[in-house]
Amino acid sequence: MKNFMDENFLLQTETAQKLYHEHAAKMPIIDYHCHLIPQMVADDYKFKSLTEIWLGGDHYKWRAMRTNGVDERFCTGKDTTDWEKFEKWAETVPYTFRNPLYHWTHLELKTAFGINKILNPQTAREIYDECNEKLAQPEYSARGMMRRYHVEAVCTTDDPIDSLEYHIKTRESGFEVKMLPTWRPDKAMAVEVPADFRAYVEKLAEVSGITISNFDDMITALRKRHDFFAEQGCRLSDHGIEEFYAEDYTDAEIKAIFNKVYGGAELTKEEILKFKSAMLVIFGEMDWEKGWTQQFHYGAIRNNNTRMFKLLGPDTGFDSIGEFTTAKAMAKFLDRLNTNGKLTKTILYNLNPCA
């Protein structure tokens, strides 16, 4: 019988085993899309407990716990201890069997902490205590973990208005692992809520030093920030979109739409789609000019639960797979850039496995 966590875990064929053990296992990690918190790397953060590093902000685990009937206070609550939260996760893990969460959990225990035990209510306490003892050691800090996994470079996810101060601090500290920013301009095209869009544009004006009163001013400010990101080593953009936008539009229409939404007026659905279409093209052209690679994460419906969104904010486990017909619009968008000779290297991530 094949053991669950042996050296060939998930390696089903001789070819897979040869490729992994003789080649892939020796290679460094170059992660071109991640959600690491730059300040933690800059400060070489020391984690207080296994719950903090494993469950803090991990909405995939929270979703599984909620599905298993665990009360919200054990996911995001402030009135429960780290141990109580971890105990509820350990109760949930056996029910994730055949879900990637089950594999990820045990791979992380094995590769990060050298633990081969199966996590369940019976083993929870000993695993929790052993991991916490190790987390207190210097080699288990944020940077220590990156060294443990032979990380060569990571590309974080950063808004155009971000100061990138922690990227700069990390680089100047002499840390051998490269932490580079990635341009994520989603909020610059989020015109659904006029007040939120205006607030964002005002922040953009502040950090760029550009007075913004019209659409051209906003693009000038974004270009200035794009230049700043490039100076800090950025070579990638990243766009979190529900679907691709490829409506026909004129420059005059986009300028009028900006004036309307910046003035506080609600846009029609057609105006929203036209504005997003124009912004995607402009961002694509900016990336082409600098030789960057553009990434698109699409196919998800965001923030389905309005009540929990207002309570907890975004990225807390209430997104879902979307059923969008994206091929036609995606082809039209990419063809627009290509026709003008401005299609840069592109990576597509579809969050719907059926499409």
Side-chain angles (χ1 to χ4, degrees), residues 11-20:
L11 304 174
Q12 302 297 325
T13 67
E14 287 186 16
T15 301
Q17 293 164 15
K18 181 180 179 67
L19 287 173
Y20 178 75

Side-chain angles (χ1 to χ4, degrees), residues 271-283:
E271 288 171 330
I272 290 171
L273 292 177
K274 285 189 174 187
F275 191 85
K276 289 179 181 291
S277 299
M279 292 305 296
L280 278 188
V281 170
I282 290 169
F283 289 139

Side-chain angles (χ1 to χ4, degrees), residues 125-195:
R125 188 78 232 190
E126 59 180 311
I127 289 175
Y128 184 73
D129 289 344
E130 182 176 344
C131 289
N132 284 349
E133 286 178 12
K134 290 181 176 177
L135 285 171
Q137 300 170 15
E139 59 266 33
Y140 282 85
S141 66
R143 295 189 183 188
M145 282 287 192
M146 295 171 81
R147 293 186 180 104
R148 170 177 291 272
Y149 283 102
H150 308 295
V151 176
E152 186 173 298
V154 293
C155 299
T156 56
T157 306
D158 311 282
D159 192 280
I161 66 173
D162 195 291
S163 69
L164 304 184
E165 60 186 289
Y166 298 113
H167 296 80
I168 296 169
K169 179 180 177 181
T170 300
R171 184 181 69 240
E172 293 180 346
S173 73
F175 183 41
E176 67 274 16
V177 178
K178 289 183 179 179
M179 181 172 69
L180 304 173
T182 300
W183 172 265
R184 179 79 173 236
D186 297 350
K187 291 181 180 178
M189 52 189 275
V191 289
E192 291 84 350
V193 182

Side-chain angles (χ1 to χ4, degrees), residues 56-331:
D58 192 335
H59 49 86
Y60 296 102
K61 292 188 179 75
W62 295 345
R63 283 170 67 99
M65 291 165 72
R66 292 167 184 144
T67 303
N68 200 42
V70 174
D71 191 272
E72 187 64 32
R73 59 196 290 261
F74 295 101
C75 299
T76 60
K78 305 297 184 185
D79 63 338
T80 47
T81 66
D82 281 5
W83 160 246
E84 289 171 327
K85 288 183 172 70
F86 183 79
E87 187 177 31
K88 292 298 182 183
W89 168 237
E91 292 173 4
T92 299
V93 167
Y95 294 96
T96 66
F97 193 70
R98 295 180 68 85
N99 182 293
L101 276 172
Y102 193 83
H103 299 136
W104 293 342
T105 293
H106 293 99
L107 275 172
E108 287 165 3
L109 284 175
K110 181 177 182 177
T111 59
F113 299 99
I115 293 174
N116 291 298
K117 301 182 183 73
I118 301 299
L119 179 59
N120 56 44
Q122 290 70 45
T123 61
R125 188 78 232 190
E126 59 180 311
I127 289 175
Y128 184 73
D129 289 344
E130 182 176 344
C131 289
N132 284 349
E133 286 178 12
K134 290 181 176 177
L135 285 171
Q137 300 170 15
E139 59 266 33
Y140 282 85
S141 66
R143 295 189 183 188
M145 282 287 192
M146 295 171 81
R147 293 186 180 104
R148 170 177 291 272
Y149 283 102
H150 308 295
V151 176
E152 186 173 298
V154 293
C155 299
T156 56
T157 306
D158 311 282
D159 192 280
I161 66 173
D162 195 291
S163 69
L164 304 184
E165 60 186 289
Y166 298 113
H167 296 80
I168 296 169
K169 179 180 177 181
T170 300
R171 184 181 69 240
E172 293 180 346
S173 73
F175 183 41
E176 67 274 16
V177 178
K178 289 183 179 179
M179 181 172 69
L180 304 173
T182 300
W183 172 265
R184 179 79 173 236
D186 297 350
K187 291 181 180 178
M189 52 189 275
V191 289
E192 291 84 350
V193 182
D196 291 350
F197 179 72
R198 175 156 188 143
Y200 179 79
V201 173
E202 289 174 349
K203 290 178 183 175
L204 174 63
E206 182 181 346
V207 299
S208 66
I210 303 292
T211 300
I212 299 176
S213 58
N214 56 45
F215 181 72
D216 288 340
D217 292 338
M218 185 183 78
I219 300 306
T220 298
L222 285 168
R223 284 188 174 279
K224 187 171 181 180
R225 297 303 297 168
H226 202 265
D227 292 342
F228 172 68
F229 268 57
E231 290 167 4
Q232 303 310 320
C234 181
R235 297 295 181 268
L236 295 160
S237 69
D238 182 23
H239 307 265
I241 53 178
E242 285 192 347
E243 54 187 321
F244 279 89
Y245 309 105
E247 300 298 313
D248 293 324
Y249 60 86
T250 65
D251 291 345
E253 283 180 310
I254 301 306
K255 291 176 181 180
I257 290 170
F258 175 88
N259 291 339
K260 181 178 177 180
V261 68
Y262 193 64
E266 295 277 347
L267 299 179
T268 65
K269 183 177 180 180
E270 182 183 15
E271 288 171 330
I272 290 171
L273 292 177
K274 285 189 174 187
F275 191 85
K276 289 179 181 291
S277 299
M279 292 305 296
L280 278 188
V281 170
I282 290 169
F283 289 139
E285 290 174 345
M286 286 185 189
D287 293 347
W288 173 82
E289 288 165 6
K290 288 193 175 69
W292 289 8
T293 296
Q294 56 184 356
Q295 303 174 87
F296 295 95
H297 291 80
Y298 67 100
I301 304 175
R302 306 289 182 183
N303 308 314
N304 292 298
N305 190 323
T306 302
R307 184 174 68 85
M308 295 305 289
F309 174 74
K310 290 179 178 178
L311 184 66
L312 301 174
D315 304 320
T316 50
F318 297 97
D319 300 341
S320 68
I321 290 174
E323 294 181 309
F324 306 107
T325 303
T326 58
K328 190 173 183 179
M330 176 174 64

Side-chain angles (χ1 to χ4, degrees), residues 19-30 149-152:
L19 287 173
Y20 178 75
H21 292 299
E22 295 183 18
H23 302 282
K26 304 170 186 176
M27 300 296 289
I29 289 175
I30 299 174
Y149 283 102
H150 308 295
V151 176
E152 186 173 298

